[in-house]
């Protein structure tokens, strides 16, 4: 740094004042002019430093249109923008419908519409503006997004309006979607990584038969039941303006509002104008419970170095909704538990000092995985630990996990590290435009406003060890949710897991066998 700057200055001086010969003398390292780097240099104009002209430019602006649609935007430097429509609709709203509608809609997105004859036409239109599109559904939100050049904003909003409100849903498109869904269901059961399947199972166990416990992927029996009529019935209830947000990052707010008024204000959807009369407003009911799936995992991956046969367990407890104040302490707790696979590449910032590495993976070489997850929704949440090991050691593995739940209180060093890591992860993720878009859209959809990153960082900084202790104690009062996959001969009973989580040390009740 300083040496490099000194070299730069000496080049400037030597070439101007002493000529090339003198410069050669100095560049050999001898006799630099004795000038302090902190004092201004003679003959050099005073530098002008960039300064921040207040936050106004970069705050999230929100406008509500006459029809109830909210428009939210965040300006960001650059010639590309990400714009999309988020709908308050997902698998949790399918109680009165065959499960799997959200899964179908995700696959049918960006197909033919009133304005565009096919998916190819849509992609060609976007290509003119260097654009790409994507649709993702979760348990509570459906998100249609496009990233393209700022100059193409008008086209992009018009296209999004058409895709969301005027899809043709042709018979051949629905048939193709059925094939895609069937393939995805087969793939889900054959993957070496069982995490998506376990996440489905733990939600079904924790919220048995209601809201976020309803299946996110379409059950096999429903693939043929979902047709245009069913989809239109669902869309007419949930795809209404007051349940939508048009979010944009990297554009002027006024321009986005103008486009929204033009393309989204007085548009009649293809299923007809309908008020959201039958919206399911059920609040998530946490039930706890166990879901087991006996499965031969010995041939999950073949080849010269197959993955050994493993049994996977996920144990979860009720946390809180993302609207509660305790959401931030739970996020810090999840970061403190951390974890990963036993083959994760280590290194700074990879979380090798998290609780599940230090206490579990580093001490018990036979465990292949121990990872903490936190799923949070608008009315409930679930903090769970996923672990995997050889089928013969399942009982021991469950006890190690229940002990980790009991010993969750934080030490000062661990807490500071977890808070710093959470803030750094938050800030690094919010460098990316699509992530900012999702953050803006989701926050405005659920709360009507947006907390800025620096506000979230302040909230994280304020978390104390007593907060962690308080939320842990509250969480341990709930019934556990358990998902188990693989060879389950050694799996302790649900009652024993519950007893371990209610005990002081997290140990399973001893069982005495006459014959091993």
């Amino acid at each position: 740094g300083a040496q490099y700057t000194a070299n730069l200055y000496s080049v400037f001086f030597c070439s101007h004042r002493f000529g090339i010969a003198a410069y050669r003398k100095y560049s050999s390292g001898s006799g630099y002019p004795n000038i302090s780097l902190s004092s201004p240099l003679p003959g050099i104009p005073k530098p002008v430093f960039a300064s921040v002209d207040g936050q106004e430019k970069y705050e999230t602006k929100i406008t509500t249109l006459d029809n109830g649609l909210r428009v939210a935007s965040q300006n960001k430097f650059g010639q590309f923008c990400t714009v999309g429509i988020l709908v308050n609709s997902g698998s949790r709203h399918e109680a009165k419908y065959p499960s799997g509608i959200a899964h179908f809609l995700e696959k049918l997105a960006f197909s033919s519409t009133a304005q565009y004859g096919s998916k190819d036409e849509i992609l060609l239109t976007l290509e003119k503006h260097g654009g790409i599109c994507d649709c993702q559904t979760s348990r509570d939100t459906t998100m249609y997004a496009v990233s393209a050049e700022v100059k193409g904003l008008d086209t992009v909003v018009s296209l999004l309006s058409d895709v969301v409100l005027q899809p043709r849903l042709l018979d051949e498109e629905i048939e193709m979607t059925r094939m895609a869904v069937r393939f995805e269901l087969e793939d889900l059961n054959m993957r070496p990584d069982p995490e998506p399947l376990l996440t489905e199972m733990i939600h079904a166990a924790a919220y048995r038969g209601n809201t976020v416990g309803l299946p996110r992927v379409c059950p096999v029996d429903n693939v043929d039941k979902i047709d245009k009529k069913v989809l239109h019935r669902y869309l007419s209830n949930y795809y209404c303006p007051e349940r939508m947000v048009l979010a944009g990052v990297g554009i002027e707010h006024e321009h986005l509002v103008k486009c929204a008024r033009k393309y989204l204000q007085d548009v009649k959807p293809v299923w007809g104008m309908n008020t959201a009369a039958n919206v399911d407003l059920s609040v998530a009911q946490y039930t706890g419970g166990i879901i087991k799936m006996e499965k031969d995992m010995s041939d999950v991956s073949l080849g010269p170095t197959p993955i050994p046969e493993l049994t996977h367990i996920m144990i979860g407890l009720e946390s809180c909704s993302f609207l509660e104040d305790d959401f931030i302490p739970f996020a810090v707790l999840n970061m403190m538990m951390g974890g990963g696979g036993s083959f994760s590449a280590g290194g700074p910032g990879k979380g090798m000092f998290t609780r599940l590495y230090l206490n579990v993976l580093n001490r018990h070489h036979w465990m292949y995985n121990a990872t903490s997850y936190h799923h949070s929704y608008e009315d409930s949440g679930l903090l769970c630990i996923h672990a995997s090991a050889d089928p013969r050691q399942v009982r021991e593995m469950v006890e190690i996990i229940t002990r980790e739940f009991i010993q969750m209180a934080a030490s000062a060093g661990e807490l500071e590290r977890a808070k710093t890591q959470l803030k750094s992860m938050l800030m690094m993720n919010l460098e990316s435009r699509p992530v900012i878009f999702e953050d803006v859209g989701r926050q405005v959809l659920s709360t009507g406003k947006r907390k800025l990153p620096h506000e979230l960082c302040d909230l994280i900084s304020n978390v104390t060890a007593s907060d962690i202790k308080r939320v842990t104690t509250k969480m341990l009062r709930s019934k556990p949710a358990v998902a188990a996959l693989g060879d389950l001969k050694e799996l302790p009973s649900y009652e024993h897991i519950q007893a371990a989580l209610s005990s002081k040390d997290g140990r399973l009740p001893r069982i005495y066998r006459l014959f091993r």
Side-chain angles (χ1 to χ4, degrees), residues 140-193:
D140 52 4
T141 313
T142 301
M143 186 168 71
Y144 297 82
V146 170
S147 284
E149 257 191 316
V150 180
K151 283 182 269 186
L153 183 65
D154 210 86
T155 312
V156 166
V157 178
S158 154
L159 187 147
L160 280 165
S161 164
D162 224 39
V163 163
V164 176
L165 301 172
Q166 310 277 335
R168 284 190 189 165
L169 305 178
L170 303 173
D171 290 347
E172 56 264 35
E173 288 170 346
I174 291 173
E175 200 46 59
M176 285 294 284
T177 301
R178 287 195 182 115
M179 282 166 65
V181 168
R182 280 197 192 97
F183 173 77
E184 217 164 272
L185 292 174
E186 268 179 53
D187 180 56
L188 193 66
N189 287 310
M190 287 161 61
R191 276 182 183 185
D193 170 29

Side-chain angles (χ1 to χ4, degrees), residues 409-451:
S411 70
E414 272 183 312
L415 180 63
E416 282 312 309
R417 183 182 280 123
K419 280 154 66 171
T420 307
Q421 199 172 349
L422 182 58
K423 284 188 277 192
S424 97
M425 194 171 273
L426 174 77
M427 291 315 223
M428 280 196 288
N429 284 334
L430 288 170
E431 295 272 305
S432 152
R433 197 182 57 248
V435 175
I436 303 172
F437 157 76
E438 190 173 339
D439 183 48
V440 170
R442 280 180 183 276
Q443 284 201 50
V444 173
L445 191 63
S446 54
T447 66
K449 55 185 189 293
R450 181 182 181 226
K451 275 192 179 124

Side-chain angles (χ1 to χ4, degrees), residues 104 178-179 181-182 185 218-226:
F104 262 70
R178 287 195 182 115
M179 282 166 65
V181 168
R182 280 197 192 97
L185 292 174
C218 181
V220 181
D221 304 345
N222 288 357
V223 176
D224 290 318
K225 290 181 191 167
I226 296 172

Side-chain angles (χ1 to χ4, degrees), residues 6 17 67 78 86-87 92 104 155 172 177 207 217 243 364 384 386 391 405 415 445 467 502-503:
R17 292 174 62 183
N67 62 355
L86 290 93
V87 191
R92 70 170 294 162
F104 262 70
T155 312
E172 56 264 35
T177 301
Y207 303 92
V217 289
R243 296 181 68 85
H364 307 282
C384 38
H386 166 210
F405 269 114
L415 180 63
L445 191 63
D467 290 330
S502 308
S503 69

Side-chain angles (χ1 to χ4, degrees), residues 14-255:
C14 299
S15 54
H16 282 72
R17 292 174 62 183
F18 310 120
I20 296 300
Y23 167 59
R24 286 201 186 105
K25 176 184 145 196
Y26 287 130
S27 63
S28 66
S30 61
Y32 276 107
N34 191 14
I35 296 171
S36 156
L37 287 177
S38 55
S39 60
L41 290 161
I44 286 187
K46 203 176 170 198
V48 179
F49 295 105
S51 62
V52 180
D53 54 349
Q55 287 286 319
E56 301 76 48
K57 248 186 198 173
Y58 297 104
E59 278 191 8
T60 308
K61 295 181 179 171
I62 303 163
T63 302
T64 306
L65 302 188
D66 299 342
N67 62 355
L69 179 104
R70 284 162 290 180
V71 181
S73 79
Q74 174 94 17
N75 211 338
K76 187 179 179 352
F77 179 76
Q79 64 187 81
F80 275 78
C81 62
T82 301
V83 183
I85 293 175
L86 290 93
V87 191
N88 185 358
S89 141
S91 59
R92 70 170 294 162
H93 300 108
E94 292 172 359
K96 299 174 186 167
Y97 302 87
S99 281
I101 290 177
H103 193 183
F104 262 70
L105 289 171
E106 179 184 75
K107 297 274 164 280
L108 282 162
F110 295 98
S111 296
S112 66
T113 68
Q115 213 177 311
Y116 300 92
S118 68
K119 192 169 198 153
D120 289 347
E121 258 186 62
I122 288 176
L123 296 176
L124 280 168
T125 306
L126 285 174
E127 219 171 84
K128 288 175 191 154
H129 301 284
I132 51 168
C133 60
D134 184 31
C135 175
Q136 287 177 10
T137 57
S138 62
R139 291 175 196 280
D140 52 4
T141 313
T142 301
M143 186 168 71
Y144 297 82
V146 170
S147 284
E149 257 191 316
V150 180
K151 283 182 269 186
L153 183 65
D154 210 86
T155 312
V156 166
V157 178
S158 154
L159 187 147
L160 280 165
S161 164
D162 224 39
V163 163
V164 176
L165 301 172
Q166 310 277 335
R168 284 190 189 165
L169 305 178
L170 303 173
D171 290 347
E172 56 264 35
E173 288 170 346
I174 291 173
E175 200 46 59
M176 285 294 284
T177 301
R178 287 195 182 115
M179 282 166 65
V181 168
R182 280 197 192 97
F183 173 77
E184 217 164 272
L185 292 174
E186 268 179 53
D187 180 56
L188 193 66
N189 287 310
M190 287 161 61
R191 276 182 183 185
D193 170 29
E195 204 265 316
L197 189 56
L198 278 165
T199 304
E200 276 290 289
M201 289 164 70
I202 195 96
H203 277 83
Y207 303 92
R208 198 168 287 271
N210 75 85
T211 58
V212 290
L214 297 172
R216 198 174 90 79
V217 289
C218 181
V220 181
D221 304 345
N222 288 357
V223 176
D224 290 318
K225 290 181 191 167
I226 296 172
D227 56 19
K228 187 172 180 174
K229 199 172 159 194
V230 172
L231 291 170
H232 272 188
R233 211 173 77 234
Y234 178 86
L235 289 165
S236 67
N237 267 321
Y238 289 96
Y239 276 44
C240 43
E242 58 272 26
R243 296 181 68 85
M244 291 182 188
V245 168
L246 173 69
V249 175
I251 50 215
E252 292 292 334
H253 186 69
E254 285 66 35
H255 191 182

Side-chain angles (χ1 to χ4, degrees), residues 252-263:
E252 292 292 334
H253 186 69
E254 285 66 35
H255 191 182
L256 188 63
V257 171
K258 191 177 153 199
C259 291
R261 286 207 171 102
K262 187 173 171 187
Y263 298 112

